[in-house]
Amino acid sequence: MNAWTGRVDPEPNTARWHQQVQPFSQAAEPGYTLIGFCSDEGVRRNKGRVGAAAGPAAMRKMLASLAWHQSAPVYDAGDVVCEGEALEQAHVALAGQVAECLAQRQLPIVMGGGHEVAFGSWSGLAQHLAKQQVSPRIGIINFDAHFDLRDPGFVVSSGTPFAQIAQSCEQKGWPFQYACLGVSRASNTQALFNKAEQLQVLVWEDRAMTQARLPELQAGLDAFIGGCDHLYLTIDIDVFPAAQAPGVSAPAARGVALDVIEPLIEQIKASGKLRLADLAELNPEYDVDGHTARLAARLIHTLTL
């Protein structure tokens, strides 16, 4: 909780996040719970530029002084830390924390960390839902320049989480419902496009995600949401243009603008099916004047309004 400090205004009705966020131990009523996932081991294994382990601290710093307009409480459950190369153990720990939050009627928002966070996040949701449904229809909505469908049989990394989830769904007999929005054709091999087609992934390329086509995108998203019981939203911040998000593990040459993605996030939340969200790949080491951390903080602010 030491991260939650900032300016205090003397006027009434001027609360900011640092004055409102409470420890998860005091989570007495439904709300949102922040969980840090301090890991870039998956990025290292994927031969990316490391530094995302510092992402949760950067997000908290930028959130702290944002104006408070939230109607539900926000809690902080601290950090899950990947020690050395022990990514698999960190996944287990994160899954347990997510499941605990869900059991206490919270909507967890996990702050990564590399996109390896996704497998730990989803595993926690799966643990929770397995106690309630035989075959839950979990819709995964990933705003990302990359599919992250690489074969985990070679090495588990930030490039494999959704292939890992697909394998887990197959083992459980659950449907695998995955939408990857903002894909860069220049950054994904033909093998990955083939894999996405094989798994019947809903794919929107970055060049199709424009303000002019927003109504069409919203209609397509509504159709996807309609086939799901629960939603897991995961945002790889490298989906945004490098000018908006320079501090990421793999900057996007084109990307998708915030004014396109933010209304879609609001649409996902308004569906009433959102159970879990995470943000990945914020790399403060390469950020410019905190631009990327501010963007991540705004996304969390939007999710909790």
Side-chain angles (χ1 to χ4, degrees):
M1 296 302 297
N2 293 336
W4 298 105
T5 61
R7 63 178 287 178
V8 177
D9 297 327
E11 301 88 355
N13 298 318
T14 55
R16 298 179 184 275
W17 272 63
H18 70 90
Q19 296 168 290
Q20 299 293 323
V21 174
Q22 306 169 57
F24 176 62
S25 59
Q26 298 176 9
E29 58 181 298
Y32 302 88
T33 294
L34 304 176
I35 307 169
F37 185 67
C38 301
S39 168
D40 49 24
E41 170 60 15
V43 175
R44 185 195 67 79
R45 295 182 188 182
N46 203 27
K47 299 179 174 59
R49 54 185 192 176
V50 298
M59 291 186 213
R60 286 188 178 96
K61 181 179 178 180
M62 290 302 175
L63 277 168
S65 288
L66 291 186
W68 180 265
H69 296 282
Q70 279 55 28
S71 58
V74 175
Y75 307 97
D76 191 341
D79 292 330
V80 172
V81 179
C82 178
E83 302 289 351
E85 299 180 4
L87 176 57
E88 289 73 16
Q89 292 89 327
H91 277 154
V92 171
L94 177 59
Q97 184 70 74
V98 168
E100 181 182 354
C101 290
L102 289 165
Q104 295 200 34
R105 303 178 299 161
Q106 301 299 308
L107 194 158
I109 299 178
V110 185
M111 305 177 294
H115 215 171
E116 64 265 27
V117 66
F119 185 64
S121 293
W122 181 88
S123 296
L125 179 60
Q127 285 180 26
H128 177 73
L129 293 177
K131 299 175 183 178
Q132 304 173 9
Q133 292 178 257
V134 175
S135 184
R137 298 182 300 168
I138 304 172
I140 303 166
I141 302 174
N142 178 26
F143 289 100
D144 199 339
H146 308 91
F147 286 119
D148 291 341
L149 283 170
R150 298 183 68 186
D151 187 348
F154 293 103
V155 61
V156 169
S157 73
S158 61
T160 64
F162 303 104
Q164 293 172 263
I165 293 170
Q167 288 181 352
S168 185
C169 285
E170 184 177 12
Q171 292 164 2
K172 296 174 185 294
W174 292 4
F176 177 65
Q177 297 173 264
Y178 177 35
C180 192
L181 315 181
V183 172
S184 167
R185 185 164 289 270
S187 301
N188 294 267
T189 64
Q190 187 59 51
L192 289 170
F193 275 93
N194 293 346
K195 180 75 169 179
E197 183 177 6
Q198 174 194 339
L199 292 170
Q200 298 182 312
V201 177
L202 172 61
V203 180
W204 295 348
E205 292 191 36
D206 51 5
R207 58 190 176 183
M209 295 186 67
T210 64
Q211 187 69 35
R213 297 183 68 176
L214 186 56
E216 177 187 344
L217 298 174
Q218 290 172 319
L221 187 56
D222 263 341
F224 179 83
I225 291 172
C228 305
D229 302 318
H230 313 278
L231 297 177
Y232 159 39
L233 170 64
T234 179
I235 305 169
D236 189 322
I237 303 171
D238 72 17
V239 74
F240 295 97
Q244 289 185 353
V248 293
S249 299
R254 177 172 182 142
V256 183
L258 178 62
D259 63 357
V260 175
I261 289 180
E262 194 169 48
L264 298 176
I265 291 174
E266 292 169 344
Q267 179 182 352
I268 291 164
K269 187 186 172 193
S271 72
K273 296 181 179 182
L274 183 63
R275 306 288 179 257
L276 166 69
D278 61 34
L279 297 90
E281 305 283 352
L282 169 59
N283 189 330
E285 185 175 343
Y286 297 96
D287 209 355
V288 178
D289 195 28
H291 289 340
T292 317
R294 285 187 176 88
L295 173 58
R298 181 184 173 95
L299 295 172
I300 294 172
H301 184 79
T302 298
L303 280 168
T304 55
L305 281 173

